[in-house]
Each structure stands twice: as C-alpha cells, then as structure tokens.
Amino acid sequence: MAYIDPANDNGVTTEEFVKIALAAVGINEKDAMDYAKSRLITEDYDRVNAEKPIKRRSAARIIHKILEIELNEKDDADWSAAERLKDLYSCHACLNHIAQVYVKGIMAEHSSCLFDLEGIVTQDEAADIAARMSDKAKRKKPERIESISCEITLDKAFRLLQDERVLLVDVRTREEYNEKHIEGAQSAPLEALAKNPHMLGDKNRTVILYCKRGYKSKIAADILKTAGFKKVYTVVMQI
Amino acid sequence: MSGQHQSIHEHPQPITDKAYMFPAFFNGKVLGAKKTGRLPAMGWNSWNAFGSGNTEMLTRAMADKIVELGLDKAGYKYIVIDDGCYRSCRVDGRLANNDVKFPSGFKQLSDYIHSKGLKFGMYNDIGIALCSGDKVGLCGHEDVDAQTYAEWGIDFIKVDNCYYPWDNATFSSEANAKYTYAPNIRSITLKGDKTKTYNAVKDGIITGSGASASISGDYVTGIGTTDGTNIDASPNGTLSGELEFNVDVLSDGEYSLIVNYVSGEERGKGCWLQIAVGDMENERRYFDGLLPAADDFTDSDEIQITLKKGINKIRLMNHRRQENTLISYAAIRDALDKAAPDNDIVLSLCEWGKTQPQQWGYKVGDSWRILNDITFTVGSDGSSGSASWASNNTASITSQYNKAVIMNEYAGLGKGWNDPDMLVVGMDGITEIMSRTHMSMWCMINAPLMLGMDLRRVEKGDNIHTIISNTDIIALNQDTLGVQAKRIYCSVEPDNPDTEYITDNRRVDILAKPLSNGDVALCFINTDTEKASGVYGVTVDKIIRYIGSKMINGSSFGNARRYLAKDLWTKETSVTEGREFRTENLGGCDSVTVRITPIFD
C-alpha cells in the first residue's frame, strides 16, 4: 500500500529520483534513466514505473547501487542496527539495500521502527537523500541501540504489561508453571531457552522474565540478550 | 489433479478433492505425474553469486567454468538463473527476457547450456509479481507460462511465493491474513433437540501449536498454521493449532452450529473458518470459507452438521495456509507436466518454510526451502558478497543446518529433499574450514548442492575447487539409498538428539547416514567457533539403534569383527577393532567425516 503523507503528498517519480540521485554524485546525464539502465543501476521495473512515484524500497536499491557502482563505496559490514526495523525481513531481495542505506544514515526509518518499503519518497526526502549521498558528514547514522537487560520493580513490570505486545515469560519448569503461574505469562523453562534462545520469536518485543528467586531469570536474560533481544527485564514475582 | 486451480479468483476456491486437504499431507502420496526417485539437485544458481546483477554473459561464463573445472563430472549439472532476468512486464501476455541483461533471450541461453551437456533452470513465483515487483508471477498464467518454459527448454524451476494472494507472504497485503487464520472464537452453540453453548476457553480443547486462549481468558485466538520462515520454532511436531469440542448428543441427526466470533485481517485473527466433525483421519468438513467481517463478537449464521449419537469431536480450524499453497504449486506442476511431459522438470519450492512445506511439499515438489535466506548480502560481478557461520537470524550456515538436521524424516526418494538454501562457499566471511564443514553438512543432510559463487575465481586444484569437487563427499549426497543423515548424538541433548531443535551452537553433533552398499557415513561436527576439547564418539550399537531400520544390512552391520574407516577429506584409512568411532579436539567450526565399512572376515 503506498503511503501518502497528507501534509506533503508530492511524491517524486522514479525518473526524477534517479536524476536527483545521480546528480548527487556528480553525474548529470541528459537521459538519466538511460544512463542508469546501461550501468545496471536500475532494473527494468524502474523503466516501467519511471513516471510513477518511486517506492522507498526502490529508492533504497537505487541509492545502494549508485554507491556501489559509481562511488565504489563498500557495504558496512555490521548492519545489525537495521534489525530494529520491523519490516526489514519482508523482502529478501531488498533487505541488504535497505539495511545499507539505513545503517549508512542515508535513509531513515519512516516511522517508529518501520522502514515502510511500499511508501513513496517525497521531494523533501529526495533532497535530503541527495545531500547525504554526496556529503558523508551529512549522513545521520542510526544510534546504536544497546540492548537493555536489567531487573525492574513489580510496578514497572505491570505498567509495561499494559502494552499487550510485551511478553511475560515464566522460566521455571513446566511442572511449576502448570501448578501455578502469573495470569497471562507464557512458559519458557530455562532449559528450553538455553537449547533454543530464539524460541520467543520477535526480538523487537519487550520481554519480562520471572522465576522463583530471580536466579534463573537472570541467566535467561543473558541468553536472550546474546540471541539479539533488545529489551529484556527480570522481575521478582510473588507466585 | 486439475480442477483445484484457483489463482484467478477473488477468494480461495472450495477444495473438492481430498487429496489437497490437510489430512492427506500424512499419506505419503504424491500428486499427479510428479516423479519420485530423484536425488538432490546439483548445480549453480546465480543469486548468491551475482544477485539481480546476473547476466547472460556471466551465466555462459559459469557454464564454461563448470565444464572447465570438471564440476560437471562431479555431478553439478543445473545452471539456474534466479530473479532479475525478466522484462518487468509481460509481452503479449507472455514472459520475456530483460533485454539489457539477457539480450539473446532464454532459448539461446538454454541451447548454449545444453550444448555443454548441462541443464537449464529458471525462477518464478506463485504470486502475481516477483519479489522485485516485476509483474511476471505465475498466478493466473500457469498454463501459458509453462508453454513458454517448455519452448525455452528449461529443466528446472525455482518458485517462491512473493505477492501471493492468499497469504500475507512477502509483499502480499497483510490483510491476506484473513485467509490464513480463523477468527477469534468465543463459543459455539449447538442446536438440536436441545440448545447448548460451549465456551471456547472453558469447554474447548486447544490442540497443536499456535492457538491459545486470550490473556483475558474470553476467547481462543491464533487458529491456523504457524509460520516457519524464522529460526524460532522447531519444524517437528504439530504445526497447526485447532480448537476442538467434544459434544455428546442423544441421537444421530442434523444439528445447527452457531459460532460466536470476531474477525480480523492480521496475524492470529483472520476471517476464514473450517469446521469438521471427527478426527483428522476420518473428518467430514461442513464449512470452509470466509465468515462475514465482525468487529465485535457476533453469532454466525447456522451451519448444518451431521452428528452421531454419543460423543462427537467438532474441530474449528484453518489449514488453508498450507492447502492453498499446495494447490498453487500443484497448478504449476500440472502445467509443466502437460507442456513438457518428457522434460523431467525439477520443481524447487521456495516459500521459505512459511507454510511448513516439509509436511506437503513432497506431493508436488522435489525440494522445499525451510527458512528465509542463508545470506542477504549477495555478490555481484567483482564482489564476493558475504555470509556467516552463525547469526541470530536465518542468514548463516548453522541457522540453516540447525533446522534441517532434525528434518530427516520428511525427506526421501519417494518424496524430495529439505533445502537449507544454496552453498555460501566462496563468499567473504567463510573460511576454508567452515567451507569444508558446510559442504559435509549439506552432503550428509541430502540438501540440494547449488554453488553460489563466481566460478571465474576458482582454479582447478585450489582450496575451493578441492572442497566443492570432493567426489567422496558428494557421493554421500548422491548415494542411491537416498536417506538423509540422522543426528544420533548431540552433546547438549542426551535424550532426543534426532528430533530436538537446538540453536545453541556451543555443542558437538554426530550424524549417521546409511549408504547403499552397507557402509555408514559418520560426521562429527563442532558447531561452535571455539575449539571443542574432549572426545566425542558413538558406538556401533548406537548407530544401529538410530538408523538400523534404514540400513540395508542393519542386522549384520553390528556383527562385523572390524570396521574400516576412511576419512573423506584427508583420505586416510584406519581400522577399528573396537566398537566405537571417536574423534577428539575438534577445532572451531571443524568437522570429521568418515565412511565406515564393516569387515566380516
């Protein structure tokens, strides 16, 4: 679905974007699309959609290609910061293009943790992109989000749990969980988490762990942090 | 097999043939003219090597190199061009070549590849557009595209599921989740002589996985099939969730069922419901369709069902994620078989494990991808791309291996093969040791062996060439017994090494593979990047316990006086008088692969 910004719906066409992006790196060909095609910067898809508003994922691809082909700019080896984008994995072919333009600070997320692959690029955004392509000093690299892992109070835990996306996880044994557990908590025994640290799924979700005395949940928190979970809390619960 | 074709309709169509329904997944029967008995495909695929930058020139160069390096004699025969090769729109309704990258067209390229004694493969998807957005997906065009492919003389086709209309797959609308999940269910009411309401949470029984009671305890949600694209969940066990009610009625007869539900178009809460009476093995389906959209809990219209006197099992479920996808791939299989009955076209399913294809893929395909990609940083002309040994997502050798290694029961000659994606040998970030272990893993687990590098960088006799052309190792993958290795030892899982899903790489695995001449291949793998000090071994008895039933000589293997062990990388042989095969001090990412021959003198 194309995103139309109600405040600023002047999306830039594919052709315009290609011209702007090439100009940003000092290439001012009369027929920008033709040039880009010959350099394998654009795909046939871009030719077909030359006069349509360019999608953000196409823009990411074209920017990345220009960096590679015209500037010989290498990829950033560490693209892990892009994993906070919830829609990063929605296109296997676009992933690296999006990850690179994001971690290099050329295209930002559209809204909270969403790149918005199908959204359009506005004139203002295109101008910003051009500036960042040509001048590395203008690139706004995303802040490295360190993963959080710490103990929190019961009060804070209950406040966080107002958001239904937050996971409450009981790391005691399955038998202990079946006997009694906090309402709404999911069972993930520590032993199971150790074997498969990825079992809780989406790593952008906040996870709150509890056990009997706080010992197991601290070990579990370390396991999840290593597995890439960004916000992991432990809480001492009276069960 | 035809008749279930449904790609051009507004909604998924009724399924009239039980062969396409969920219970049939477990009968081991392939559909239509699907050929069985094929060993894993071997060849080269353009994606990891060149991404969407692949061209006709590069492809021809790869075909040349395959022959020059003797890789064709080692078994690599399919040259597959992946995404990025088509013109972005159909021409007169037909697929066409991208004139910049493939100016001579695909028939010429196919002829060239065939002239080298090799086979030609292409790529498409079951949706309306490719992942790139090119509106050349097979959906609705299966027959005409199959004719085109037959004209081009393809021998292999890899088909993914971007822009698929019936699931929230890549670039399909998220709203398609309405087809893949049942609504949230609060209760059912059964009307006959009496009227009784059964509460979903209190009276219903949630079976399988993925479905659960809401936190509020009011209703059941998540009824559908779990998404297998990521590394979070095991590929084994029950992979769908259902809600069942055991109702006791006084007499045989027709009853009315009313479902109290709320619908959605999001993961876990959809709009499509299936209602069956009876266990899966002998179910009768009474409803299989969209319910009217409802934002608040609403009663459905009455649904007529037939019950027998006594206890009846009523199941509320949604298996359409798998059933619809099977039907779509079957349409392609059908069309190809019709258009090119003699071409023996290999069908490689690539829906990234989303619909748990290990359960149904064998009916129509020769292999099925089990996860999202092994690398997202593919190469280009002049760059090797990069890959990893381990990662917190699907993009690594061990992420793919950790899942595939416990999927051996799904694979076989009568079915097809688990596909842990293409080889990343030759990409940056992969050392020689990693490459050797990667090759050993893929050969032991009967994975398709698709090279994914620029072969112009390989010289005969160099390290990469030595690894990818090791005929002793390839012989394991191509062994005619066609049995995927079983993990019979795992240092962190003493009880169920063969079925337990382990993603913690700090361990040593030992795999055992029965071979057609009575030998057994053993592979000792250190999945950790740190050295594994210590001795790791398996006894003859353990081997027989785990794979004896699959061996041609399971009863006599254990009676040998001695065993000859040949290391398939160092080529050294040794004789074991005892009954245990051991290795020690495995380096980080390292492995030892031996072929054991029983000696009976």
Side-chain angles (χ1 to χ4, degrees), chain B residues 351-371:
Chain B
E351 43 72 278
W352 299 298
K354 189 172 183 87
T355 72
Q356 312 287 0
Q358 64 274 25
Q359 291 188 324
W360 58 265
Y362 70 91
K363 290 181 176 294
V364 293
D366 298 294
S367 63
W368 43 87
R369 281 279 301 279
I370 60 171
L371 281 172

Side-chain angles (χ1 to χ4, degrees), chain A residues 43-44 57 90 92 195 203, chain B residues 88 163 170 373 392 493:
Chain A
E43 300 287 342
D44 198 49
R57 65 172 173 126
S90 51
H92 84 124
K195 284 185 193 165
K203 291 171 180 151
Chain B
S88 190
Y163 288 97
T170 304
D373 294 354
N392 283 332
E493 173 50 50

Side-chain angles (χ1 to χ4, degrees), chain B residues 472-527:
Chain B
D472 285 342
I473 286 282
I474 291 170
L476 304 183
N477 181 276
Q478 298 291 304
D479 182 78
T480 55
L481 197 61
V483 176
Q484 177 177 330
K486 194 183 270 265
R487 183 170 63 192
I488 67 173
Y489 170 84
C490 177
S491 57
V492 301
E493 173 50 50
D495 299 325
N496 302 298
D498 51 337
T499 55
E500 191 76 2
Y501 183 50
I502 316 274
T503 59
D504 178 3
N505 283 343
R506 292 166 300 177
R507 68 181 203 271
V508 169
D509 288 352
I510 303 176
L511 313 189
K513 186 184 203 304
L515 302 170
S516 56
N517 71 343
D519 289 353
V520 167
L522 292 179
C523 190
F524 302 74
I525 300 168
N526 177 9
T527 47

Side-chain angles (χ1 to χ4, degrees), chain A residues 74-130:
Chain A
K74 297 268 173 269
D75 280 353
D76 282 19
D78 180 8
W79 52 271
S80 57
E83 296 219 66
R84 84 175 68 119
L85 299 170
K86 288 180 209 152
D87 50 355
L88 179 68
Y89 286 94
S90 51
C91 170
H92 84 124
C94 311
L95 191 147
N96 194 35
H97 304 307
I98 291 167
Q100 287 301 320
V101 303
Y102 180 75
V103 303
K104 285 175 185 288
I106 298 174
M107 278 184 86
E109 60 196 12
H110 177 266
S111 54
S112 175
C113 296
L114 274 177
F115 185 80
D116 188 18
L117 282 74
E118 298 289 289
I120 60 170
V121 177
T122 64
Q123 297 285 353
D124 289 347
E125 280 170 334
D128 284 341
I129 287 166

Side-chain angles (χ1 to χ4, degrees), chain A residues 1 37-40 42-49 52 55 57-58 61 65 68 74-77 79 83 89-97 100 117-118 164 166 183-185 191-203 205 223-229, chain B residues 47 50 52-53 55 82-84 86-89 98-101 123 130-135 160 162-163 169-171 173-174 215-217 230-234 267 352 372-373 375-378 380-381 383 391-395 492-494 500-504 506:
Chain A
M1 263 169 288
K37 175 181 166 177
S38 68
R39 298 282 285 161
L40 296 186
T42 49
E43 300 287 342
D44 198 49
Y45 176 85
D46 303 313
R47 175 191 62 81
V48 168
N49 295 287
K52 295 198 185 129
K55 294 187 184 187
R57 65 172 173 126
S58 300
R61 170 174 48 78
K65 280 286 178 194
E68 178 204 340
K74 297 268 173 269
D75 280 353
D76 282 19
W79 52 271
E83 296 219 66
Y89 286 94
S90 51
C91 170
H92 84 124
C94 311
L95 191 147
N96 194 35
H97 304 307
Q100 287 301 320
L117 282 74
E118 298 289 289
E164 62 180 28
V166 172
E183 196 179 321
E191 202 184 307
L193 275 175
K195 284 185 193 165
N196 180 16
H198 308 287
M199 67 185 280
L200 295 177
D202 182 3
K203 291 171 180 151
R205 283 176 88 172
I223 289 172
L224 292 186
K225 197 175 150 184
T226 308
F229 285 84
Chain B
W47 188 255
F50 303 121
S52 57
T55 65
D82 210 297
D83 201 355
Y86 298 103
R87 202 169 155 84
S88 190
C89 286
N98 178 304
D99 56 1
V100 173
K101 298 188 230 177
Y123 154 91
L130 301 189
C131 303
S132 50
D134 299 324
K135 287 195 165 46
D160 76 27
C162 282
Y163 288 97
T170 304
F171 295 125
S173 170
E174 282 300 307
I215 293 176
S216 56
N230 291 309
I231 59 173
D232 53 321
S234 173
R267 194 165 155 269
W352 299 298
N372 208 334
D373 294 354
T375 177
F376 297 107
T377 47
V378 300
S380 60
D381 187 2
S383 150
S391 70
N392 283 332
N393 47 44
T394 66
V492 301
E493 173 50 50
E500 191 76 2
Y501 183 50
I502 316 274
T503 59
D504 178 3
R506 292 166 300 177

Side-chain angles (χ1 to χ4, degrees), chain A residues 144-177:
Chain A
R144 201 179 149 66
I145 290 193
E146 298 300 330
S147 52
I148 302 170
S149 173
C150 63
E151 187 173 333
I152 55 175
T153 61
L154 259 179
D155 274 347
K156 176 155 185 195
F158 285 125
R159 271 202 308 278
L160 287 172
L161 286 165
Q162 300 303 312
D163 182 348
E164 62 180 28
R165 288 168 302 171
V166 172
L167 265 182
L168 180 62
V169 177
D170 185 325
V171 302
R172 299 172 303 149
T173 65
R174 192 56 63 100
E175 293 73 32
E176 286 170 314
Y177 173 87

